[in-house]
Amino acid sequence: MLKTFLKGEKGTRLRFMGMLLSAMLVLLSVFTLTQKGLNFGLDFTGGYLTEFTTSQSVELKELQSFIAKNHNGEFELTAQGNSHFQLREAPSASATANSLDWQSAVTQNDDINAQVLSSAYIGSQVGDELFDQGCLAMFAAMIAVMIYLAVRFEWRLAVGSVVALVHDLILVLGLFSLLQIEFNLTVLASLLAIIGYSLNDSIIVGDRVRELLRVQSNNILSPATIINNAIKSTLTRTLITSGTTLATVASVWLLAGAPLQGFAIALFTGIVVGTFSSICIAATLPELLGLSAKNYEVKVDAHTQTLLDMP
């Protein structure tokens, strides 16, 4: 099979090389996840969340350095605007004292002159429940997808779509683990969106492959050629759909601010790898598993064949 791919058409070789690249990226993502894990946000870990404004524009790095001098624990400061900031603190015994220290410092400093808008504590028990419910929702979505694919496609095409879907999720999680981007509820919601988008892309290619296999019952063309033709016929539609969606997500990433940045990064990455996997995995893996036009031939029993042969 390997020699067939290497000696085949250019499109076949590119698909096979893309699948090898995907396998390497998946292994790298799994290694990163096991070594570094995910940087869970306050939605899951719990902690203190404080929002405040300043009387004038202050550089984020300067404000972060000033707060660090009056804060003994770990914290994360994000800018919601030119003078609107959000500070997150991990739950600890000294968190209350730290909050009073840095809040007093920023409110009494004449150059900053901050005003605290809100301060709330998110319990870890609530975060655990949110994480469990989110994982349950993702699991339910995966089961529904598998049932749908089992009914709609021949098992080889169904396996290719499921593997492509898992590939997309692992790569997105691996990116968040590698860069230690905060993983919160909005990111978890983006993973559910990625499941739908990746499935849609794979179904478009799989439907076209199935249609061409059905009309090639005489086996004139090889399965590799048929799959290449299916990809070529859907490539323009795929690129236009992915391009317009990426433009929208990029706008959210650049203009919506820090609260939706993780969501936009996850969705942007998921669309890119989802488009890639629909070609290099969802269409290539079934070929490796032996997909051919024979799988779509209409089979009749001996009695029916006898009736068809009668004059």
Side-chain angles (χ1 to χ4, degrees), residues 1 4-5 15 152-161 202 205-214 216 219 221-228 230-231 278 281-297:
M1 182 64 70
T4 303
F5 270 96
R15 285 192 289 111
R152 184 179 181 92
F153 287 131
E154 198 267 344
W155 72 268
R156 295 172 181 83
L157 284 173
V159 168
S161 298
S202 299
V205 176
D207 269 339
R208 189 57 179 162
V209 170
R210 182 178 58 179
E211 290 173 4
L212 294 181
L213 286 173
R214 282 176 173 172
Q216 291 292 335
N219 294 324
L221 299 178
S222 65
T225 303
I226 294 174
I227 292 175
N228 290 339
I231 293 174
S278 66
I281 297 179
T284 305
L285 187 59
E287 183 181 351
L288 286 173
L289 295 175
L291 182 68
S292 66
K294 293 181 180 179
N295 301 121
Y296 290 96
E297 290 180 350

Side-chain angles (χ1 to χ4, degrees), residues 12 22 24 34 46 58 61 91 111 155 236-237 240 265 310:
T12 305
S22 294
M24 294 173 60
T34 55
V58 182
K61 292 183 178 179
D111 294 331
W155 72 268
T236 302
R237 175 183 176 181
I240 291 175
I265 292 174
M310 291 179 62

Side-chain angles (χ1 to χ4, degrees), residues 33 49 62 85 98 138 144 160 181 190 223 257 259 271 280:
L33 285 168
L49 177 64
E62 295 179 2
F85 298 92
N98 280 328
M138 188 179 303
I181 304 173
S190 71
I271 293 172
C280 297

